[in-house]
Amino acid sequence: MMPVIADLHPAGTGAELALLHRLCNASSATAVLQLWAAGLQQLTGCERADIYLLDQGHSLLVRQISAGPNGTGSEHSHSEPADYHHDSLLSAALLGQTPLILSRAQAQGHFRLDFLQAGPDSLTQPSLITALPVRDAGQHNQGVLVLLGEHAYRSPQQLASLAELCTSFWQQYCRHQQLAECARRRAPAPPARQAPLNQSYGLTGNSDAIKQLRRLISKTLHNQSSVLITGETGTGKELVAQAIHHHGPRRSFPFQVQNCASIPEQLLESELFGYCRGAFTGADREHTGLIRSAQGGTLFLDEIGDMPLSLQAKLLRVLQEQSVRPLGDTRSYEVNVRIVAATHQNLPDMVASGRFRQDLYYRLAQFPIALPPLRERKDDIAPLSRHFADEFARQGRLPAPALSPALLERLESHDFPGNVRELKNTIERTLLLHSHETSLQPGHLPPELFEQAGTLPATTAEDLGAGKLDERLDYLESRVLEQVLHKYHGNQKLAAQELGLSRGAMNYRLKKHHINARNWRI
């Protein structure tokens, strides 16, 4: 059922209401786009109206439609990503809280205007350029409306009305897309929602937890909110922070990283806020600091829970006032930096115990993202293992070995308290020690991976390789030798003692199986 006009736009001029009537009668997503551009061009009286929408991964702005006095030109069949760099007017409009209304001279003096070359009319000299973000009902940015030339919508109230119209068109556009998809699949129409997300953001896996994580990342790309990433050690918090930066409009600016637990308080303060010459003994030069160095980009503060209370107050001031004052300086400098913080600690508990400022917590957690531990998404262990194996083989210029089903099953049975980082280290170490193998079996895995059970892993038929009995016994003997050498870090004497062998017998068996004990030394 189509929404009624009152749901789309509670108030408006007669022309706006007439446009909404036509919107309700639109028969397809393409028809909605055509009416959107042509209707707003006629309603405002501008020379041209362009509609730019984010792609499904929220990484690119794509021009969907343009409309001028001579008609409407659809860009569906050959749309290309628009000029979407840090100095683009489109990027500024998408991130802005208020519409941009600039003369051509003003716009040209501050932004790139390459997108003016696109559209049904060659309009490179508009007298006025107006750009405002297209938002959905939840106020999430979905695109940009650009009006070129003089128009009748100039007051804040008129521009707000225009923004509401765009929200109505966006809702109907998404609805028709879903209806078309359901018709294709011959399925009942779902409730209105956005199209499925295809962007991976560099995250390997297909579990429900990873899919939800990708959706959260897409929601936070195109706004100014601070992000707080929580999760156990090794879950990939910095990888998520990098995805937020490199897939959003700030990707052309710096991405700075600081671990708040790795350096003393005094040094952390100077690293973050900077200092001027003579601020303290040894300050023989000016230091910009990471906050100012990340101007226009993103500052990732890892282990924010370890930041001292005195610095928490200064960081809060930066977030509130968007300015920073270096140590020893009397001046404050305006900054435009997005803060992404991460911690493995429970910040609400730290707030309750007085170890973390409550006001800072709420400023950092404007958009919280919780990363699940690997033991809660075991469906991702197999694709992650293959990814790490391929990556390590490529770096070492080695052929990528096959990972046997038995090995993957053994990995999935482990809880991985170190999460993805532990899995990566396990795969890399296994490949390093057994680079000559074409297929990795459970017996190749480090023994300590299973020490929580108190024993070495049980031997299965697949662990014994293939061939006749003597060949299988030789294969098993070589695996045992490698495991014991790994346990004692290549110490042949200790390995021989555990196996009840003399040094001579140990050397004989190592030569027989072409095993070099030095490979296990640290």
Side-chain angles (χ1 to χ4, degrees):
M1 179 182 293
M2 292 293 182
V4 296
I5 293 175
D7 293 334
L8 289 171
H9 199 262
T13 66
E16 291 172 358
L17 293 176
L19 182 58
L20 287 168
H21 272 291
R22 295 168 62 193
L23 173 62
C24 288
N25 294 323
S27 59
S28 65
T30 300
V32 170
L33 279 177
Q34 292 174 342
L35 180 61
W36 191 349
L40 293 187
Q41 185 274 324
Q42 296 169 8
L43 182 68
T44 61
C46 68
E47 297 178 57
R48 196 177 95 194
D50 294 346
I51 306 296
Y52 295 85
L53 297 179
L54 290 166
D55 67 349
Q56 291 182 342
H58 280 213
S59 297
L60 297 171
L61 268 179
V62 179
R63 188 184 67 258
Q64 300 290 341
I65 199 90
S66 296
N70 298 328
T72 301
S74 174
E75 301 293 335
H76 270 295
S77 61
H78 54 278
S79 59
E80 295 181 356
D83 173 23
Y84 187 38
H85 301 283
H86 64 270
D87 52 354
S88 167
L89 177 65
L90 297 177
S91 179
L94 190 65
L95 287 176
Q97 301 300 316
T98 57
L100 295 174
I101 306 180
L102 303 168
S103 68
R104 182 180 179 279
Q106 290 174 321
Q108 196 170 35
H110 293 86
F111 304 105
R112 291 178 59 178
L113 304 177
D114 296 355
F115 65 92
L116 293 180
Q117 304 290 341
D121 305 306
S122 180
L123 186 63
T124 60
Q125 302 290 331
S127 57
L128 196 71
I129 302 175
T130 301
L132 65 156
V134 173
R135 294 190 173 99
D136 60 19
Q139 293 300 299
H140 300 115
N141 291 342
Q142 302 294 344
V144 177
L145 165 67
V146 179
L147 303 178
L148 301 177
E150 294 288 345
H151 56 85
Y153 278 64
R154 300 291 292 272
S155 70
Q157 294 79 10
Q158 290 171 323
L159 290 171
S161 179
L162 201 61
E164 289 183 34
L165 279 170
C166 286
T167 299
S168 301
F169 274 100
W170 167 257
Q171 290 175 302
Q172 287 295 81
Y173 174 69
C174 291
R175 177 66 175 170
H176 278 291
Q177 281 189 316
Q178 291 162 17
L179 288 172
E181 179 66 16
C182 288
R184 187 181 68 83
R185 297 182 179 180
R186 297 181 179 179
R193 62 181 179 85
Q194 283 188 244
L197 184 66
N198 294 326
Q199 177 64 261
S200 69
Y201 299 114
L203 305 176
T204 301
N206 293 302
S207 65
D208 291 340
I210 285 297
K211 291 177 181 177
Q212 176 62 16
L213 176 58
R214 291 179 182 134
R215 293 190 189 98
L216 289 175
I217 292 174
S218 72
K219 294 293 186 183
T220 192
L221 291 180
H222 301 283
N223 58 62
Q224 299 280 30
S225 302
S226 299
V227 179
L228 178 62
I229 307 171
T230 58
E232 296 178 6
T233 299
T235 49
K237 295 185 285 294
E238 185 169 348
L239 184 63
V240 173
Q242 291 174 345
I244 292 172
H245 173 79
H246 292 299
H247 289 84
R250 295 179 179 270
R251 58 181 176 266
S252 299
F253 287 93
F255 177 76
Q256 300 285 9
V257 180
Q258 179 58 58
N259 188 313
C260 299
S262 62
I263 58 178
E265 176 180 350
Q266 294 78 9
L267 186 56
L268 177 61
E269 182 176 10
S270 62
E271 281 297 306
L272 289 177
F273 301 95
Y275 54 82
C276 62
R277 184 176 181 179
F280 49 83
T281 303
D284 55 354
R285 58 181 177 83
E286 180 180 342
H287 179 58
T288 304
L290 290 177
I291 295 176
R292 289 170 62 196
S293 296
Q295 180 71 4
T298 304
L299 174 61
F300 176 53
L301 297 176
D302 199 8
E303 299 302 343
I304 190 70
D306 292 304
M307 177 177 282
L309 282 169
S310 59
L311 295 189
Q312 292 178 26
K314 294 186 177 183
L315 178 61
L316 177 64
R317 188 177 185 87
V318 172
L319 290 170
Q320 290 176 335
E321 299 183 1
Q322 291 295 297
S323 65
V324 60
R325 188 171 71 180
L327 294 174
D329 206 333
T330 58
R331 298 165 295 176
S332 293
Y333 300 86
E334 290 187 5
V335 290
N336 176 16
V337 175
R338 187 177 198 184
I339 301 295
V340 177
T343 183
H344 71 282
Q345 303 186 63
N346 189 318
L347 289 190
D349 287 351
M350 295 182 67
V351 169
S353 62
R355 291 176 294 151
F356 200 87
R357 292 182 63 103
Q358 185 179 49
D359 44 8
L360 178 60
Y361 170 71
Y362 288 125
R363 287 303 298 261
L364 292 174
Q366 289 176 333
F367 199 104
I369 296 178
L371 303 190
L374 190 56
R375 61 181 173 275
E376 293 180 5
R377 52 184 187 101
K378 292 198 172 185
D379 290 346
D380 293 334
I381 289 179
L384 279 169
S385 300
R386 295 189 183 98
H387 169 74
F388 293 140
D390 292 341
E391 183 182 67
F392 185 76
R394 184 174 60 255
Q395 291 174 354
R397 298 182 178 180
L398 301 170
L403 304 183
S404 69
L407 177 139
L408 294 175
E409 183 179 353
R410 188 67 54 79
L411 289 173
E412 290 172 352
S413 69
H414 185 57
D415 281 344
F416 286 102
N419 294 292
V420 180
R421 183 182 294 124
E422 181 185 354
L423 174 62
K424 180 180 181 181
N425 291 343
T426 298
I427 295 298
E428 290 187 0
R429 185 170 35 172
T430 302
L431 262 67
L432 180 64
L433 296 177
H434 306 282
S435 58
H436 57 285
E437 299 287 351
T438 58
S439 177
L440 296 179
Q441 305 295 333
H444 295 134
L445 292 171
E448 65 267 21
L449 192 68
F450 308 95
E451 285 181 356
Q452 60 181 10
T455 60
L456 290 175
T459 300
T460 65
E462 190 165 352
D463 294 342
L464 299 179
K468 297 181 179 180
L469 178 61
D470 289 345
E471 295 172 338
R472 296 191 180 199
L473 289 175
D474 283 345
Y475 182 87
L476 179 59
E477 184 179 65
S478 68
R479 297 289 79 80
V480 171
L481 290 170
E482 289 176 341
Q483 288 184 355
V484 177
L485 284 172
H486 180 80
K487 178 180 179 180
Y488 292 108
H489 306 299
N491 190 313
Q492 296 182 50
K493 181 179 179 180
L494 295 178
Q497 289 176 353
E498 176 167 318
L499 295 175
L501 299 174
S502 65
R503 289 294 299 275
M506 184 70 175
N507 287 330
Y508 168 76
R509 284 172 168 78
L510 292 179
K511 291 180 180 179
K512 174 184 175 182
H513 298 291
H514 306 287
I515 296 174
N516 188 347
R518 294 179 180 178
N519 291 337
W520 281 266
R521 292 179 184 175
I522 297 179

